[in-house]
Amino acid sequence: MKKNIKYLLIFVFALIGGSIGSFAYPLFQSITHSSSTSSSLISNNTYDNQSSVTQAVDKVKDAVVSVINYQKPSNASSDTELTEDGLAIYGEGSGIIYKKENGKAYVVTNEHVVNGAKSLEVQFSSGDTVKATLVGSDSYSDLAVLEISDEKVTTVAEFANSDTIKVGETALAIGSPLGVSFANSVTKGIVSGVNRQITGTNDNGQTVSINAIQTDAAINPGNSGGALINIEGQVIGINEQKVVRDSSGESTVEGLGFAIPSNDVVTIIEQLETNKKVVRPALGITMKAYSQLTTIEMKKANLENSKLTSGVVVMSVLKGLPADGQLQEYDVITGIDDQEVKTTSDLQNVLYRHKVGDSVVLKVVRNGEEKNVTIKLTKTTDQLNLENN
């Protein structure tokens, strides 16, 4: 499942596509084991190899699963293994069992892991496999929730408070790099940074935006949806992607992985369980980044001599929605809730942290003068779409 998101840097989702199987098989075949070593060369010394790291992994490892996405193959060869329904493995990722109740268990993973699936399976650390049902998914946050039977579930992961994460603390990534053959692999690193804003578009043209934890724990294809845990064995994030090259495509980048913070994950999965989707507030405007305005648009907006270099320009205000009567065509939004706004993503990232019923304060430049505009968020993005149709 090869999903690409276009960023200023080149990102690779930590998701393994079904095509990797043709590579992985000969790789595994080349691994041989020797049992001819003389026992006299093996030390009889024993030692305590328990550590805080091994204890953390033991606590959560059985809650980390592999997620298998089946789709109708477009070009099936004679070597393609098909299910009774004519489906083939399209991609493999990871997931985390986070809740168990009433005979069911719930798994959180990345939306891009399950996108387009005709059938889904979850494989436990024991190797047992069960069918999974998609409860709900959200492309903007790149999260999805699956439902499975709890019959073989032995462990449920615990979420940490990601707001308390410290840069430099130990971070352990657990997942299925290169698919189920390397399930429950563990890599160790640190939290390299927090509040890294990663925004782009997926293959369907939908905006994807996460306020990410940065880590140097190795994240590889197949790790998507897996756990980033702290030294207590608590989940601090959901592994999502890594950077492989800089914006020029010439320099290779190492040790730049990103995970969705646990607090953000909990907020999203609670909505997916309840509504099967995420409800977000809407302003009720169409907009465009200041830097993307054409010469004609700059002239129409009377911004030709403006000293502004960035911001979001209001291109239209939809009637009956929150911004109606508050914002005007060609207003330039330069801030929201004391946060600077340079792009449409900047505006959305702050706006979508609010709930319907909240109010936001926008810093707006209108006719060369700066002013604050308070808008109560009374409508959702779903209602925006209805009003616009």
Side-chain angles (χ1 to χ4, degrees), residues 34-56:
S34 173
S35 59
S36 61
T37 304
S38 171
S39 61
S40 64
L41 298 178
I42 300 175
S43 172
N44 291 322
N45 290 338
T46 60
Y47 63 98
D48 182 7
N49 58 5
Q50 283 291 318
S51 68
S52 55
V53 170
T54 59
Q55 290 169 355

Side-chain angles (χ1 to χ4, degrees), residues 282-288 312-319 321-324 326-329 331 333 344 347 351 362 375 384 388:
L283 285 173
I285 62 173
T286 61
M287 55 190 176
K288 192 172 187 178
V312 171
V313 181
V314 177
M315 303 305 290
S316 66
V317 180
L318 304 179
K319 291 184 178 180
L321 292 173
D324 188 15
Q326 302 293 323
L327 297 179
Q328 298 179 11
E329 186 181 32
D331 280 351
I333 302 171
T344 55
L347 179 59
L351 178 65
L362 302 179
I375 298 178
L384 169 64
N388 213 17

Side-chain angles (χ1 to χ4, degrees), residues 55-285:
Q55 290 169 355
V57 172
D58 285 342
K59 181 177 178 180
V60 74
K61 65 181 181 181
D62 290 334
V64 180
V65 297
S66 299
V67 178
I68 306 169
N69 178 329
Y70 289 88
Q71 297 189 25
K72 199 82 172 177
S74 55
N75 295 302
S77 68
S78 58
D79 296 329
T80 304
E81 293 186 17
L82 300 176
T83 66
E84 293 180 356
D85 298 326
L87 304 177
I89 294 177
Y90 179 70
E92 300 173 43
S94 305
I96 305 168
I97 302 170
Y98 67 90
K99 187 165 84 169
K100 176 181 176 181
E101 64 179 19
N102 301 324
K104 300 175 182 177
Y106 295 87
V107 177
V108 60
T109 185
N110 287 138
E111 188 274 342
H112 74 262
V113 170
V114 300
N115 186 271
K118 300 301 182 184
S119 179
L120 291 164
E121 287 183 347
V122 163
Q123 181 171 305
F124 300 103
S125 58
S126 64
D128 292 325
T129 301
V130 295
K131 288 287 186 182
T133 302
L134 179 64
V135 175
S137 62
D138 181 58
S139 61
Y140 187 82
S141 63
D142 196 21
L143 289 171
V145 170
L146 310 180
E147 181 184 290
I148 60 174
S149 166
D150 74 350
E151 183 179 353
K152 297 181 180 180
V153 174
T154 60
T155 306
V156 173
E158 176 186 0
F159 289 112
N161 180 357
S162 56
D163 288 344
T164 64
I165 293 172
K166 300 293 185 184
V167 173
E169 72 171 89
T170 298
L172 307 168
I174 309 178
S176 305
L178 299 184
V180 297
S181 297
F182 290 116
N184 284 74
S185 292
V186 181
T187 56
K188 180 184 176 185
I190 62 170
V191 173
S192 305
V194 295
N195 298 321
R196 304 301 199 202
Q197 198 62 54
I198 309 299
T199 304
T201 56
N202 62 20
D203 283 350
N204 296 323
Q206 299 166 310
T207 298
V208 179
S209 183
I210 62 172
N211 187 37
I213 299 167
Q214 179 186 330
T215 181
D216 67 345
I219 295 176
N220 293 293
N223 275 123
S224 275
L228 188 69
I229 67 171
N230 61 19
I231 204 65
E232 296 295 325
Q234 299 171 314
V235 177
I236 60 174
I238 304 296
N239 298 322
E240 204 246 2
Q241 60 183 264
K242 66 174 183 177
V243 179
V244 293
R245 293 187 183 277
D246 66 4
S247 57
S248 69
E250 297 176 355
S251 299
T252 301
V253 178
E254 297 290 345
L256 273 179
F258 295 93
I260 306 167
S262 56
N263 287 14
D264 292 350
V265 172
V266 170
T267 298
I268 297 299
I269 62 179
E270 286 178 345
Q271 290 197 58
L272 292 178
E273 281 187 51
T274 303
N275 305 315
K276 303 186 184 304
K277 61 183 179 181
V278 177
V279 177
R280 293 187 171 92
L283 285 173
I285 62 173

Side-chain angles (χ1 to χ4, degrees), residues 295-312:
T295 302
I296 295 175
E297 288 171 331
M298 291 284 282
K299 186 175 182 179
K300 282 184 177 180
N302 197 28
L303 293 170
E304 293 172 295
N305 300 316
S306 172
K307 295 180 180 180
L308 292 171
T309 57
S310 63
V312 171

